[in-house]
Amino acid sequence: MTSQRTRDRLIQRLVDQGVSNQRVLDVMANTPRHIFLDEALSHRAYEDTALPIGHGQTISQPYIVARMTEILLGAGGVLSRVLEVGTGCGYQTAILAQLVDEVWSVERIRPLQDKARQRLSLLRLRNVHLRHADGHAGWPEDQLFDGIISTAAPREVPEGLLKQLAPNGVLVIPVGADTQTLTMIIRIEDTDEYKTQRLEPVRFVPLVAGTTR
Ligand code: SAH
C-alpha cells in the first residue's frame, strides 16, 4: 500500500487534476506521506484525500498541497525564505523544505508540533524552523518572507501576514468561513499595496486564535 506503484498513481491523479510543476510532482513522488499519519491510517496515505491527525485537525489533501505549492513557486519571485502557518503533521512543511532554501513554520497545538519535528528530522530536513505560536502574527521578529502559505483558513486575511511579505512576495491562503476561496496575494514591489487573485473553492480547518499546550 506504500509501494512505488501506489505513489505513482497518486502523482498521476495530481497531473490529471492539472498540477503541472514538475519539481513539485517529483518532490511529492519522493516524499513518504505515510510517515505523517498514525499507523491506523497509514494504509490510506496515498489516497488523494485529507485525513485526521488528531486534535480535530487534518493532513491536507495531496492535490491541495501540490496546488498551493505550485502557486507559491509559480508567482515569479525567488523563494529563499518561506513561512508556513499551521504545521500540523508537517507534510506540507516537508514538501516546501525540498523546494525552497529555508522554511519557518508555526503551529498552535504543541503535541502536533512535537510530532512534526520528529518526522521532519527523520527525513533529515534541516532547513526548517518550527515554533509553537499563534500564526496570526506570522514570525514577527524575523526578516520578511518571499512566500507565505497558510494551511488554515481565516475569515479575513490577517494584517500581520501581509506586513511580513517581502517586496513582490506572495501569500497563498484559504479565506472564508463556510465557503472558502484559495486566494493569492502579491505585495506590489515595496509598497503597501497588494494584488489579490481569488483562485478556487477549498475546504480547510479554521485559523484559530491563541495556542494550546
Ligand atoms: N500543513 C498541514 C495541514 C494542517 S491543518 C499539512 O501538511 O497537512 C492546519 C493546521 O493549522 C492545524 O494543525 C491547526 O492546529 C493549525 N492552526 C490553526 N490555527 C492556527 C494559528 N492561529 N496558528 C498556527 N497554527 C494554526
Side-chain angles (χ1 to χ4, degrees):
M1 60 202 162
T2 56
S3 70
Q4 196 57 47
R5 232 178 98 222
T6 314
R7 293 193 200 185
D8 290 346
R9 212 175 306 142
L10 171 62
I11 300 306
Q12 187 55 48
R13 219 188 119 94
L14 301 181
V15 172
D16 293 345
Q17 288 177 94
V19 176
S20 62
N21 185 312
Q22 197 55 47
R23 289 179 66 215
V24 174
L25 293 167
D26 287 347
V27 165
M28 288 190 62
N30 293 317
T31 305
R33 187 167 181 256
H34 63 274
I35 68 160
F36 292 90
L37 288 159
D38 289 338
E39 216 157 287
L41 280 175
S42 61
H43 67 286
R44 299 188 58 193
Y46 300 95
E47 293 176 16
D48 188 23
T49 174
L51 292 165
I53 55 170
H55 305 270
Q57 307 304 319
T58 54
I59 182 172
S60 300
Q61 179 192 355
Y63 165 72
I64 284 294
V65 172
R67 189 77 187 103
M68 288 178 81
T69 308
E70 92 172 348
I71 291 166
L72 194 79
L73 296 182
V78 180
L79 289 178
S80 98
R81 301 167 43 82
V82 170
L83 171 69
E84 176 189 31
V85 176
T87 316
C89 62
Y91 179 67
Q92 170 80 73
T93 325
I95 300 300
L96 287 171
Q98 297 171 77
L99 291 161
V100 307
D101 291 346
E102 224 146 341
V103 181
W104 281 256
S105 185
V106 292
E107 170 56 55
R108 63 180 292 277
I109 301 174
R110 173 73 101 188
L112 288 179
Q113 189 206 21
D114 290 342
K115 272 204 229 170
R117 193 184 297 282
Q118 288 169 15
R119 286 152 171 165
L120 292 164
S121 82
L122 199 69
L123 294 180
R124 297 196 166 78
L125 295 169
R126 299 191 218 285
N127 56 341
V128 175
H129 314 264
L130 300 181
R131 176 184 281 185
H132 179 230
D134 178 349
H136 278 92
W139 195 298
E141 64 276 24
D142 222 302
Q143 302 163 45
L144 301 176
F145 296 97
D146 310 308
I148 303 178
I149 219 171
S150 179
T151 65
R155 283 167 181 262
E156 280 166 34
V157 179
E159 194 66 27
L161 296 183
L162 292 175
K163 286 212 174 98
Q164 286 179 48
L165 279 180
N168 301 313
V170 57
L171 167 63
V172 182
I173 186 167
V175 184
D178 298 334
T179 48
Q180 303 166 359
T181 308
L182 189 61
T183 306
M184 175 172 84
I185 300 170
I186 296 178
R187 180 167 182 185
I188 300 173
E189 313 272 320
D190 57 357
T191 65
D192 285 332
E193 285 174 49
Y194 302 87
K195 189 173 76 185
T196 298
Q197 218 175 316
R198 293 157 62 83
L199 300 171
E200 58 193 274
V202 283
R203 194 165 188 86
F204 277 83
V205 296
L207 189 75
V208 177
T211 59
T212 68
R213 299 242 124 227

